[in-house]
Amino acid sequence: MVPGVVWISEQRPFPLLRPIAAALTVLVLLRVGWEPRIVGNDVGTTPIFNWLLYGYGVPTVAFWFAGHRLRQRADDAPTRIVEAAAILFTVLLVFLQIRHLVHGDIYRRGAPLAELALQVCSGLAMAIGLEWVRGRTHSIIHNIGALVIAGLTLLAIVFGLGLDRNPMFTGEPVGGPFINLILLGYGLPAVLAIALALYARGMRPMGYRVIAAATSVGLALTYLSLEVRRFFHGPVLTAGPFTDAEGYTYSAVWLAFGVVLLTAGIFLRSQPARIASALVTTLTILKVFLVDMHGLTGIYRALSFIGLGLVLMGIGWLYQRLLFPRRPPAATPPPAAAAAPS
């Protein structure tokens, strides 16, 4: 009914039609709040194509269309109510479909790593999408929605992926060597986070972009570290002893990641990337001197220090040649011609 009322308001611009569209939107929100499953226990067992798709997908499309049409005439309270409902139903559709996919029951308590990873990826993708939308509508609702979704996703990354559901702490099996929950929970979100940081250039303050880039670097470093752990310990990361080879591999992988960040920062002319490279390299240096020096033995200790030295020399060479190249000496001006005799 909401798009229908909006269409009628375009043909016959009666003053009450726009508030009626907003009131109908509020009624739909109240109905969903009373029973989020729409049809009770008969949601269905088929992933995606179930009653959640109809109960949330149809209102999502209706509210996005109605909000777009309402904005053509005015940016008033009815427009903002419908736009907020469009964002809310989009989030609910994605969130509940993921819960149904993983559990089969949206009221199931707890969230395993697979569900949390899907929610984080979806949150980052929706934040990027809303950044694109708000760049065209300049709507305060789209602006606030993008910030709220990005903020909630950041909390899920820090406290969910970083602490609560981290397979290093829970012992939850992660799957195969490369195509696994580590890739879904840390690798893919790292790519989406840096995409958000790059897309926000010129649209968001520097602090927003720094947080997004730092989140991407943290996720990427965690992904690489967990992949090393998966290589040495198998699907259950908490099983098996810690070896010298594993300790050395962490240092080598972190150093390589720091070099990649530095190279990207130089060619993209990105100061945050170069700062991130310096932080990762500093972290590796601390690990080598505080951990490897006492924990590693034999050839692995030697390789750790030799590799660190070679990489630091290479970084110095890159900075000298690419960032701070030597300027050619200034040309000596030719001597002044002798004055002709009078």
Side-chain angles (χ1 to χ4, degrees):
M1 292 178 64
V2 174
V5 172
V6 172
W7 180 80
I8 295 174
S9 72
E10 295 175 345
Q11 311 305 315
R12 298 289 187 271
F14 298 123
L16 284 178
L17 289 177
R18 294 172 71 92
I20 288 175
L24 289 172
T25 302
V26 174
L27 287 176
V28 176
L29 293 174
L30 293 175
R31 167 62 180 85
V32 171
W34 176 64
E35 172 52 275
R37 295 174 298 180
I38 310 295
V39 292
N41 293 324
D42 298 326
V43 172
T45 58
T46 305
I48 309 299
F49 297 99
N50 47 52
W51 274 107
L52 294 174
L53 179 63
Y54 309 127
Y56 289 91
V58 173
T60 297
V61 175
F63 292 148
W64 278 108
F65 174 79
H68 171 72
R69 299 306 304 179
L70 287 171
R71 178 164 291 279
Q72 301 302 311
R73 290 183 176 271
D75 182 10
D76 53 5
T79 299
R80 295 180 178 182
I81 290 174
V82 175
E83 288 180 340
I87 297 174
L88 178 60
F89 269 78
T90 302
V91 173
L92 289 175
L93 173 63
V94 174
F95 176 79
L96 295 178
Q97 285 284 17
I98 290 175
R99 286 199 64 81
H100 181 272
L101 174 67
V102 176
H103 300 289
D105 178 12
I106 66 172
Y107 289 139
R108 179 77 174 270
R109 298 191 63 179
L113 178 59
E115 179 187 350
L116 184 61
L118 290 172
Q119 300 288 10
V120 166
C121 291
S122 301
L124 290 171
M126 286 188 287
I128 295 172
L130 278 177
E131 289 293 339
W132 179 84
V133 171
R134 84 172 188 91
R136 283 150 179 78
T137 64
H138 305 286
S139 167
I140 188 174
I141 297 299
H142 296 154
N143 181 39
I144 295 174
L147 291 175
V148 169
I149 292 176
L152 292 176
T153 305
L154 177 62
L155 292 177
I157 291 172
V158 174
F159 295 103
L161 295 177
L163 299 174
D164 185 55
R165 302 313 307 171
N166 192 322
M168 274 289 296
F169 306 142
T170 64
E172 179 179 351
V174 297
F178 299 105
I179 307 300
N180 51 33
L181 291 179
I182 301 174
L183 177 64
L184 181 64
Y186 300 90
L188 184 56
V191 175
L192 291 171
I194 196 61
L196 178 61
L198 293 175
Y199 191 82
R201 277 184 172 182
M203 301 175 62
R204 292 291 186 187
M206 175 60 74
Y208 180 96
R209 305 198 303 271
V210 168
I211 292 175
T215 302
S216 174
V217 173
L219 285 168
L221 189 61
T222 305
Y223 166 74
L224 293 173
S225 301
L226 292 178
E227 274 294 328
V228 172
R229 186 80 177 178
R230 168 63 182 81
F231 178 79
F232 284 95
H233 294 265
V236 179
L237 304 187
T238 55
F242 182 86
T243 62
D244 287 350
E246 180 183 351
Y248 168 74
T249 305
Y250 285 122
S251 301
V253 169
W254 291 2
L255 276 177
F257 181 53
V259 172
V260 170
L261 284 175
L262 176 61
T263 305
I266 291 174
F267 286 98
L268 295 177
R269 297 181 180 180
S270 172
Q271 185 180 16
R274 297 197 299 270
I275 294 175
S277 170
L279 293 176
V280 172
T281 305
T282 302
L283 176 64
T284 308
I285 292 173
L286 292 175
K287 178 184 178 299
V288 169
F289 280 95
L290 299 179
V291 178
D292 293 357
M293 179 180 292
H294 302 284
L296 300 185
T297 58
I299 190 173
Y300 289 110
R301 179 189 294 181
L303 288 175
S304 180
F305 280 90
I306 292 173
L308 175 63
L310 292 176
V311 170
L312 291 179
M313 290 174 59
I315 290 175
W317 181 87
L318 282 175
Y319 269 89
Q320 181 180 2
R321 291 300 183 92
L322 299 179
L323 287 182
F324 305 106
R326 294 182 179 179
R327 295 182 179 181
T332 304
S342 56

